[in-house]
Amino acid sequence: MQRGSDSDVLIVGGGVVGCAIARELCCFDLRVTLLEAGADIGAGTSKANTALLHTGFDAKPGTLEAQLVVRGYRLLGDYADRVGIPVERTGALLVAWDEQQLAEFPEIVERSRANGYGAIAELSVEELYRREPELGPGAVGALEVPDEGLICPFTTPLAFATEVVLAGCELQRGTAVEGIERVPGGGFRVLTGRGEWRTRFLVNAAGLRSDEIDRMLGYARFTVTPRRGELIVFDKLSRSLVSHIVLAVPTKVTKGVLIAPTVFGNVMLGPTAEDVERKDDTSSTALGLAYLRSEGRRIMPALLEHEVTAVYVGLRAATEHVDYQVSIHADEGYACVGGIRSTGLSASMAIAEHVRSELGEAGLELSPRAEPLPELRMPNIGERSERPYQRGDLIDRDPEYGRIVCFCERVTRGEIRDALAAPVPAVDLDGLRRRTRAHMGRCQGFFCGAELAALLGAAGERGAPHEPAGAAAGAGG
Amino acid sequence: MSGPVVIVGGGPAGLTAARELGRRGVRDVVVLERELEAGGIPRHAGHQGFGLRDLRRPLSGPAYAKALRRFARDAGAELLTETMVTGWSPDGPLELTSPAGRSTLDPEAVILAGGCRERPRSARLVPGSRPSGVMTTATLQQLVYLKGARLGGRALIVGAEHVSFSAIMTLAHGGARAVGMTTELPRHQSLAAFRAGAAFRYRTPLWTRTAVSAILGRRRVETVELTDLDDGSTRAVACETVVFTADWIPDNELALMGGLAMDPGTRGPAVDAALRTSRPGVFGAGNVLHGAETADVAALSGWHAAQSVVHFLGRGEWPAAPVRVECRAPLEWVSPNTIAPGAGEPPRGRFAVRAREFLTRPRIEIAQDARTLWSGHLLRLVPGRSGRLPHDWTAAVDSEGGPVSVFVRSARG
């Protein structure tokens, strides 16, 4: 059995939280290993969510979640601007549709202030319809949350993982953890289907499987019950219908069905919230889609006249507890970062900062790297900033950026080439989609499906993207 | 660069328009094609039967595409491939992106000939997991005929129109067997000969009144759940490929960007009998105007648009406020769908009409402001296939009056 390198810290789980923690630790002089069970990073819960950059206005005051979302909002917003993660600060309107929902407003405002967010304000019904004229009839009031925004859920974990690789740390995809043993005298042996890794400190950021990893170490603190969320993405031609994120008044169980633009220029409707048994049950359902359509017809009837571009399903890592399940065992160097629900994207960098600081107190030596990390600039896939097909200067230097392969999303051959050769390369069509938007549009491959398959196939034959096998061989100890 | 005529889309309609413009002495005709090669859908339709109505001979798709390319070039048109219109404001020039860089064109006349596409699984809201192996007919054709892919295994075909039957042959070419064909309608919408061929040569059963209620599989499709629409029962069909066929929609983003008035039935730009849109100097041709007609019919539409362009280049007239033609359910659309003075005869001397249901001996009525303009029987209407309405009633349309309404007076189902 091959064996990976010895690490100072090994992180289990390459979702947005695990990637953020790995990136945070890579800023120090540490040997860091990030293991992801799936074929790609950010391909589980992190890829199919509402992709909102939350202010944390509605979190439960006093919880770790509230604290980390509020801080994460600022950290991630700044980071996104710096490295080129698409962000749109649209603001949100929380709409009440009956008197009972309206009666919740004082409590929501109070909670927001308790979380340190004072910019929340009530809007008149007239002002609400002036801002969102396509809203269905019957709204009785609204709260404005001017700082809520949209963020690209694909570029975010990818930027983190790219920095991890550029820092010379180890990323292993397609590597599922099967067992963990404590090493006498300190540290852990992490057993996977592709060999074993030794590490001094261990971080469990395994998302839906964080309870299973926790149990491998003998703890039984929480159980993850996957909560399925179905989302309908409408054609970009519907984008002009909506300007803000239109939120529902939250209930005990869910934040409700929202309508929001996406950074790709679509409009999203969802999510549903349904507890399911299997952690891989990302199937959409006739009932769920019918429910979303009926909610959508009520909230914004004109939206339903548009074509549907895609249906996505995500599973949130819900637990029986209200708060995140974050605990540090200083004695043995284990950090459990579980139960991170839909706010995890916004909170990711603050979670990482928190975990780093706790590990430092637990004895992890945090001395700065000899050389700072190189400046990172991610390829832009957001609709609001210039993309390669729009840049004459870029095309003049490299005509591949003028060769549009995916017509609906205007993705060029140059971008696909780059994504297949990036520090964290795409290994399949879904990975290519998340990195470039290819195949994400209204035709779903009618025009470009065969060409993309051929480009992926050619890259596979060159041996370029199949990173797990190649890199693991190089990293063998 | 700026010529008098730019044709957006180098399929049968666009290439035929280019050829005809050249033949009629129009210089500086540019065809913009975003694919590597012009020719449109026929490039990757390996079966026979193209070119019957326009070239008067049967050709395979690729041979037909090649012939149309040659005719257009020989007539003097410039074919710019890998060139896509990526911007067009309602009063601005065409903005282009190609390997040569970014540029704009502001011609005297534009013909939109961008064609249509099939609705994919997501747009049809078919639930289930998201395995690979789910595709439209066009993707299937490109994989098999352009990329030489071997699919193997079993496939289910969703839809029962002409193109659905062609998919059986494409699958066979790619080494896959069509284990069934489903339609939610009570019968297929194609020709009896195609149906017989499917049954006897390929042994592909046709399941009518059947909906695809779920697609299941981890990495690749494993099973498809079918629901009988009459008794609600479900059953599973094992297969590795699912082909979503037909259910065409015009690729209409450019028309919407350019601020053109759209027809709610066709979902393409509204046009009069001269194929003039609401924007002066902008014409539409072929399947960008409505769900798919066969390639030769699209080509004849391109020919017709070219005649109108020649007429326009000489005079520069444009109708101010044409009368809209609306249709009522169960009719789906009528094309052309506006009436303007001086428009002349529509393409192929007819108004095409489509219905959502099978109608036998429907009595169709065309009226304006409670005044009957025409009334008569059609033999039948089949969903996805066009019926033919005459055009001589257009002379009686009051250009100051309300919209013209087309509806079914009576029919047998």
Side-chain angles (χ1 to χ4, degrees):
Chain A
M1 225 28 180
Q2 69 182 25
R3 223 201 70 195
S5 48
D6 287 355
S7 310
D8 296 311
V9 189
L10 183 144
I11 298 131
V12 181
V16 70
V17 171
C19 288
I21 295 170
R23 181 208 153 270
E24 174 77 24
L25 295 171
C26 285
C27 299
F28 298 90
D29 186 20
L30 292 170
R31 292 169 301 168
V32 176
T33 298
L34 175 59
L35 301 185
E36 165 55 42
D40 199 3
I41 60 101
T45 298
S46 303
K47 79 173 177 191
N49 51 63
T50 51
L52 301 184
L53 183 57
H54 288 293
T55 55
F57 80 96
D58 60 348
K60 188 174 180 193
T63 58
L64 184 65
E65 179 179 19
Q67 177 196 326
L68 295 179
V69 174
V70 169
R71 173 137 180 88
Y73 173 85
R74 228 187 56 232
L75 289 176
L76 183 56
D78 291 348
Y79 180 77
D81 292 339
R82 200 161 70 239
V83 306
I85 298 169
V87 168
E88 285 183 40
R89 292 174 169 85
T90 57
L93 301 175
L94 191 148
V95 179
W97 297 93
D98 58 38
E99 294 302 320
Q100 200 183 342
Q101 292 177 355
L102 198 62
E104 301 276 330
F105 277 13
E107 199 189 316
I108 295 170
V109 172
E110 195 182 322
R111 203 184 313 150
S112 179
R113 297 208 171 114
N115 287 325
Y117 185 73
I120 189 166
E122 193 155 354
L123 289 187
S124 69
V125 173
E126 294 71 34
E127 179 62 15
L128 170 66
Y129 280 100
R130 199 189 61 74
R131 302 263 195 104
E132 292 293 350
E134 294 294 340
L135 216 56
V140 296
L143 291 173
E144 183 191 13
V145 192
D147 298 292
E148 289 278 296
L150 319 169
I151 187 161
C152 177
F154 306 145
T155 311
T156 304
L158 190 62
F160 296 153
T162 300
E163 287 207 277
V164 169
V165 171
L166 292 179
C169 291
E170 186 182 0
L171 164 67
Q172 297 291 346
R173 295 180 282 179
T175 308
V177 172
E178 292 168 355
I180 300 172
E181 293 169 4
R182 292 183 172 88
V183 176
F188 303 88
R189 279 176 59 209
V190 178
L191 314 172
T192 79
R194 298 181 49 244
E196 67 172 70
W197 274 261
R198 273 172 195 260
T199 184
R200 176 67 195 83
F201 289 83
L202 178 71
V203 178
N204 168 10
L208 289 166
R209 300 200 184 275
S210 54
D211 56 342
E212 295 167 37
I213 299 291
D214 206 40
R215 284 197 174 85
M216 286 178 192
L217 289 160
Y219 300 102
R221 290 173 284 204
F222 63 95
T223 302
V224 173
T225 305
R227 186 167 296 156
R228 173 158 63 192
E230 302 174 53
L231 292 157
I232 298 178
V233 177
F234 287 87
D235 193 291
K236 285 186 284 181
L237 295 168
S238 67
R239 176 64 181 86
S240 60
L241 291 177
V242 55
S243 313
H244 304 76
I245 300 157
V246 178
L247 299 172
V249 175
T251 66
K252 292 260 181 280
V253 186
T254 162
K255 291 185 174 181
V257 173
L258 60 87
I259 286 177
T262 75
V263 292
F264 312 116
N266 301 87
V267 175
M268 177 181 67
L269 167 69
T272 55
E274 178 196 0
D275 287 347
V276 294
E277 282 178 12
R278 275 176 33 213
K279 289 177 174 176
D280 60 353
D281 189 2
T282 54
S283 295
S284 59
T285 63
L287 274 178
L289 298 179
Y291 169 71
L292 288 181
R293 287 174 65 78
S294 77
E295 283 291 277
R297 200 166 287 120
R298 182 179 64 76
I299 303 168
M300 192 166 284
L303 181 61
L304 275 288
E305 301 300 313
H306 282 267
E307 295 283 318
V308 169
T309 289
V311 171
Y312 292 117
V313 181
L315 297 175
R316 293 91 115 187
T319 69
E320 63 272 43
H321 305 285
V322 175
D323 204 357
Y324 291 171
Q325 293 301 296
V326 177
S327 44
I328 315 288
H329 299 268
D331 51 333
E332 61 172 354
Y334 167 59
C336 175
V337 191
I340 312 289
R341 297 169 309 172
S342 47
T343 51
L345 174 60
S346 302
S348 55
M349 292 187 81
I351 296 171
E353 194 185 63
H354 176 78
V355 170
R356 182 257 296 159
S357 146
E358 296 273 318
L359 287 176
E361 282 176 28
L364 178 66
E365 199 177 318
L366 295 167
S367 48
R369 286 170 59 91
E371 287 175 36
L373 289 176
E375 288 264 320
L376 178 69
R377 193 74 198 168
M378 296 300 288
N380 172 47
I381 59 171
E383 195 70 358
R384 282 299 161 95
S385 302
E386 264 196 336
R387 296 185 46 225
Y389 82 91
Q390 295 168 307
R391 291 184 51 194
D393 60 323
L394 198 61
I395 301 169
D396 289 344
R397 281 202 302 278
D398 183 349
E400 291 295 289
Y401 292 114
R403 296 204 149 87
I404 299 178
V405 178
C406 166
F407 304 135
C408 303
E409 300 298 309
R410 283 113 187 245
V411 182
T412 65
R413 202 168 283 265
E415 291 163 276
I416 287 167
R417 173 200 63 197
D418 295 352
L420 292 170
V424 186
V427 293
D428 52 23
L429 185 59
D430 263 345
L432 201 55
R433 185 174 58 81
R434 288 192 297 273
R435 284 162 179 80
T436 65
R437 280 169 62 171
H439 211 280
M440 194 194 282
R442 59 175 70 94
C443 93
Q444 292 284 303
F446 178 93
F447 295 113
C448 68
E451 182 65 20
L452 291 175
L455 289 171
L456 266 168
E461 278 165 28
R462 284 198 306 274
H466 291 278
E467 181 263 358
Chain B
M1 53 182 172
S2 185
V5 186
V6 169
I7 299 166
V8 185
L15 292 174
T16 303
R19 177 198 194 187
E20 184 59 15
L21 286 166
R23 241 180 35 85
R24 296 287 304 268
V26 178
R27 298 287 150 246
D28 302 322
V29 175
V30 177
V31 179
L32 305 177
E33 171 54 56
R34 57 192 187 178
E35 295 277 3
L36 272 164
E37 190 172 56
I41 299 279
R43 281 175 308 132
H44 48 71
H47 51 277
Q48 294 289 323
F50 289 87
L52 293 176
R53 293 184 184 83
D54 56 336
L55 305 183
R56 309 265 172 203
R57 54 191 150 123
L59 292 168
S60 74
Y64 178 65
K66 192 176 169 188
L68 294 185
R69 282 197 298 270
R70 200 184 64 218
F71 294 154
R73 283 206 185 91
D74 289 352
E78 188 181 4
L79 270 54
L80 295 178
T81 55
E82 290 189 284
T83 304
M84 181 170 168
V85 180
T86 47
W88 195 31
S89 63
D91 49 7
L94 295 162
E95 299 165 30
L96 273 46
T97 301
S98 79
R102 297 269 294 172
S103 58
T104 60
L105 283 174
D106 200 3
E108 284 179 51
V110 174
I111 302 177
L112 297 183
C116 60
R117 58 189 158 81
E118 295 163 296
R119 279 195 181 81
R121 172 202 177 172
S122 55
R124 306 186 198 205
L125 290 172
V126 174
S129 58
R130 290 179 62 228
S132 66
V134 181
M135 62 191 78
T136 53
T137 321
T139 307
L140 171 70
Q141 288 181 353
Q142 293 182 51
L143 281 171
V144 170
Y145 291 121
L146 296 186
K147 305 294 178 193
R150 290 287 298 173
L151 293 171
R154 299 157 294 182
L156 180 80
I157 296 173
V158 185
E161 301 189 31
H162 294 333
V163 67
S164 324
F165 287 93
S166 84
I168 298 180
M169 289 181 276
T170 310
L171 284 163
H173 202 83
R177 201 173 92 71
V179 293
M181 177 182 263
T182 71
T183 174
E184 299 189 14
L185 295 168
R187 39 191 191 271
H188 73 83
Q189 300 144 263
S190 188
L191 306 178
F194 288 180
R195 168 72 191 105
F200 298 112
R201 176 151 180 222
Y202 297 102
R203 303 202 174 282
T204 300
L206 170 68
W207 297 316
T208 58
R209 294 288 295 152
T210 300
V212 176
S213 42
I215 293 176
L216 303 167
R218 279 169 190 271
R219 300 184 66 83
R220 182 86 188 184
V221 176
E222 291 163 22
T223 57
V224 175
E225 183 194 273
L226 300 179
T227 298
D228 183 315
L229 291 172
D230 292 321
D231 63 15
S233 64
T234 63
R235 64 201 167 94
V237 173
C239 60
E240 293 77 37
T241 299
V242 184
V243 186
F244 283 91
T245 68
D247 197 359
W248 302 92
I249 179 170
D251 207 31
N252 55 15
E253 184 184 26
L254 188 59
L256 284 156
M257 260 200 291
L260 272 52
M262 305 297 281
D263 181 81
T266 61
R267 295 197 156 220
V271 288
D272 68 7
L275 302 184
R276 294 177 291 192
T277 69
S278 63
R279 179 167 166 167
V282 179
F283 299 77
N287 291 337
V288 79
L289 298 177
H290 42 62
E293 300 275 9
T294 53
D296 50 1
V297 172
L300 292 174
S301 171
W303 181 90
H304 190 87
Q307 311 303 323
S308 301
V309 167
V310 170
H311 189 267
F312 167 74
L313 291 175
R315 294 169 185 76
E317 298 163 356
W318 207 259
V323 175
R324 300 207 60 112
V325 181
E326 298 167 350
C327 64
R328 286 190 228 151
L331 297 181
E332 185 180 14
W333 55 255
V334 173
S335 180
N337 31 45
T338 67
I339 307 295
E345 284 190 20
R348 303 171 69 218
R350 67 185 66 178
F351 281 77
V353 62
R354 291 248 176 123
R356 293 184 188 280
E357 305 166 6
F358 288 92
L359 299 173
T360 305
R361 289 282 293 162
R363 182 173 181 81
I364 308 280
E365 195 162 314
I366 304 175
Q368 184 187 30
D369 301 329
R371 187 167 54 96
T372 301
L373 302 174
W374 181 83
S375 176
H377 282 105
L378 297 183
L379 195 58
R380 59 177 182 154
L381 278 173
V382 174
R385 287 165 65 183
S386 296
R388 170 185 191 160
L389 295 175
H391 64 86
D392 44 9
W393 52 270
T394 57
V397 171
D398 174 5
S399 61
E400 307 290 314
V404 170
S405 183
V406 183
F407 54 97
V408 179
R409 210 14 122 199
S410 63
R412 280 176 274 149

